[in-house]
Amino acid sequence: IKTAQRGGCGLVIYFRKEGRSLGEVTKYLVYNTRKRQEGGDSAENYFNCTEQVAGVQDTRFQALMPDPLHFLGVTKIHNFISMSDMKYNAIVNTGIKIVNRIEIPKELVPDDAQVEITAKVFHGYNAGNAYKGIDENELKKTVGREYNYDKVVDEEEPKNVIKE
């Protein structure tokens, strides 16, 4: 977008495949499973939770994803902003050249997203030099914050309730 604003050419294409194309309800079921599993949310079990809930890790069919780019006559992408290895491979395998893969600045990734980004980078996603070197040890030790689901809720009467 900034390139287009500077007088160059820019193109943004958004594919509606949020949550690995599993749908919003399934995505929230996966989030809930991740948080409530024994041991809590962990990078090591990130993709297992999706498979446990949905039966598959991902339903996107990336081979068709470059078609709109070809339709628009795109032969080269100067700045590719996606960490997905599947999107990148689908594009370059159809002959479109990608010059730069834009990194995700580490300071822009919130603490609660560390489980997801660690799992994705370990499994082949590209997040740039800031995330190089994620190995099995890093995968095992990256966990989300703890939730106290077993904590007894205050049994005081709810406020704003009208008694007869």
Side-chain angles (χ1 to χ4, degrees):
I1 293 172
K2 288 181 181 179
T3 301
Q5 290 171 337
R6 288 192 309 259
C9 179
L11 176 65
V12 175
I13 296 180
Y14 176 75
F15 296 99
R16 292 184 57 188
K17 295 185 274 183
E18 176 61 35
R20 291 187 293 274
S21 199
L22 298 168
E24 294 300 318
V25 172
T26 303
K27 181 173 75 169
Y28 288 116
L29 289 171
V30 170
Y31 288 160
N32 192 29
T33 301
R34 284 175 46 204
K35 304 292 185 207
R36 293 176 181 265
Q37 69 184 327
E38 189 174 323
D41 195 12
S42 70
E44 185 175 26
N45 291 314
Y46 177 82
F47 286 106
N48 296 340
C49 289
T50 305
E51 201 164 338
Q52 181 183 9
V53 171
V56 294
Q57 287 185 6
D58 196 320
T59 62
R60 295 173 293 185
F61 190 59
Q62 299 292 12
L64 299 176
M65 189 267 304
D67 288 355
L69 298 171
H70 287 287
F71 177 78
L72 295 169
V74 174
T75 58
K76 182 173 17 176
I77 298 171
H78 291 275
N79 295 309
F80 182 66
I81 305 171
S82 173
M83 61 185 286
S84 172
D85 57 323
M86 292 179 287
K87 286 179 191 164
Y88 174 84
N89 291 334
I91 291 169
V92 298
N93 287 341
T94 63
I96 297 173
K97 182 178 181 181
I98 293 178
V99 180
N100 298 309
R101 290 185 82 172
I102 305 300
E103 291 187 13
I104 298 173
K106 208 166 189 151
E107 65 273 9
L108 294 182
V109 179
D111 290 343
D112 275 356
Q114 293 305 317
V115 165
E116 180 175 358
I117 200 161
T118 300
K120 286 181 172 182
V121 170
F122 180 80
H123 286 92
Y125 284 62
N126 181 318
N129 290 327
Y131 287 91
K132 288 246 189 255
I134 290 180
D135 59 13
E136 199 165 332
N137 290 332
E138 186 70 23
L139 184 74
K140 287 180 181 185
K141 76 178 188 179
T142 304
V143 295
R145 64 183 149 126
E146 290 186 32
Y147 293 89
N148 294 323
Y149 290 114
D150 296 332
K151 184 178 173 185
V152 176
V153 177
D154 185 7
E155 294 186 16
E156 181 181 305
E157 270 190 53
K159 305 209 182 336
N160 301 326
V161 174
I162 300 172
K163 287 187 177 180
E164 293 186 35

